[in-house]
Amino acid sequence: MNNYVEIIPILLEGLDITITVLIGSAIFGYLIAFLAGFGRLSKNFLIRNFTKVYIEVFRGTSLVVQLFWFFYVLPGLLGIELSAYLIGVITIGMNYGAYMSEVVRGSILAVSSGQSEAATALNMSRFQRMRFVILPQAIRMMLPEFGNYLIQMLKATSLVSIISLADITYVGLLYRDANISEGVAVFTMLLVLYFIIALPLIGLTRWLERWASKGVATE
């Protein structure tokens, strides 16, 4: 049991990387989700199809491969060199942003057409209809799924260890490599630590589900 306790401070050395990658990925991912979601609804052929290609590529390929591609291929192919932290944030954000863009698109389309027709009757512009009528209702529908994806992004942060970011998984693997007999303890404590980090996110998601269920417009 002492081994398990002793491992905790070692793993916590990578906690700041795990948390900052999660925060950065979440902010970037939600931004991408809205941009791509609106892009899929655009009347412009080029924007709509460019967005569609982006979504299908990032949803149809492995996040691990995407991390390797941005980390190893991008510098040699385009001469663009980014820090491992930025690559982790951008890749995770773009991957989950592709998934969440469908949540954005679906939620906007789920708002009753009668709401838009009523706003049109009040002589609102397209922007005003979206800003004041459709989007507030759609966001309430998006929030529970956004909470679920936030938890998924937390779990995805463990993959940044493969591009040498010293998160809790990377620190744990280094310790395990130096202490082979401690493998069971390391992975057990990693499991526990990720669950503890996820607990407030799980609570937030459940709260968002309850809150959103009180405000979704129905016909």
Side-chain angles (χ1 to χ4, degrees):
M1 189 64 185
N2 289 336
N3 292 346
Y4 287 81
V5 175
E6 292 172 0
I7 289 170
I8 294 176
I10 297 171
L11 297 180
L12 290 178
E13 293 176 8
L15 183 62
D16 58 335
I17 295 295
T18 295
I19 298 299
T20 54
V21 169
L22 172 63
I23 294 172
S25 299
I27 293 172
F28 188 62
Y30 292 137
L31 175 62
I32 290 293
F34 276 97
L35 291 176
F38 282 116
R40 290 284 284 123
L41 296 170
S42 174
K43 294 182 178 180
N44 185 291
F45 175 84
L46 291 177
I47 294 176
R48 189 172 63 252
N49 283 277
F50 175 80
T51 306
K52 182 179 180 180
V53 170
Y54 150 70
I55 291 172
E56 295 306 323
V57 168
F58 275 85
R59 291 201 307 173
T61 56
S62 166
L63 177 56
V64 173
V65 176
Q66 291 165 15
L67 281 166
F68 277 129
W69 194 89
F70 276 98
F71 191 70
Y72 292 109
V73 178
L74 191 63
L77 190 65
L78 300 178
I80 300 175
E81 293 190 14
L82 300 173
S83 67
Y85 172 78
L86 279 178
I87 288 174
V89 166
I90 290 171
T91 308
I92 294 174
M94 291 188 73
N95 182 277
Y96 281 92
Y99 286 97
M100 292 189 293
S101 68
E102 291 299 291
V103 175
V104 173
R105 184 178 72 92
S107 298
I108 290 173
L109 293 177
V111 176
S112 170
S113 59
Q115 300 284 324
S116 182
E117 292 168 1
T120 302
L122 293 173
N123 202 31
M124 286 187 176
S125 66
R126 186 184 181 193
F127 174 79
Q128 289 174 322
R129 293 197 300 272
M130 180 61 69
R131 167 67 180 82
F132 297 108
V133 179
I134 299 173
L135 200 55
Q137 298 179 63
I139 286 176
R140 295 183 79 99
M141 292 184 248
M142 297 174 201
L143 288 177
E145 282 301 309
F146 277 2
N148 289 328
Y149 277 112
L150 183 60
I151 297 170
Q152 295 293 326
M153 280 188 274
L154 167 63
K155 292 184 284 186
T157 61
S158 64
L159 296 176
V160 300
S161 60
I162 66 177
I163 57 172
S164 302
L165 265 181
D167 70 322
I168 57 177
T169 298
Y170 182 86
V171 172
L173 290 174
L174 282 182
Y175 182 79
R176 190 280 312 265
D177 290 342
N179 303 270
I180 299 298
S181 62
E182 302 292 337
V184 173
V186 168
F187 289 118
T188 299
M189 294 315 299
L190 278 174
L191 192 70
V192 170
L193 193 52
Y194 273 110
F195 179 69
I196 291 172
I197 298 171
L199 277 177
L201 304 182
I202 294 171
L204 174 63
T205 300
R206 290 176 178 170
W207 181 83
L208 289 174
E209 289 173 350
R210 292 193 299 270
W211 181 79
S213 67
K214 299 177 182 178
V216 176
T218 57
E219 292 185 333

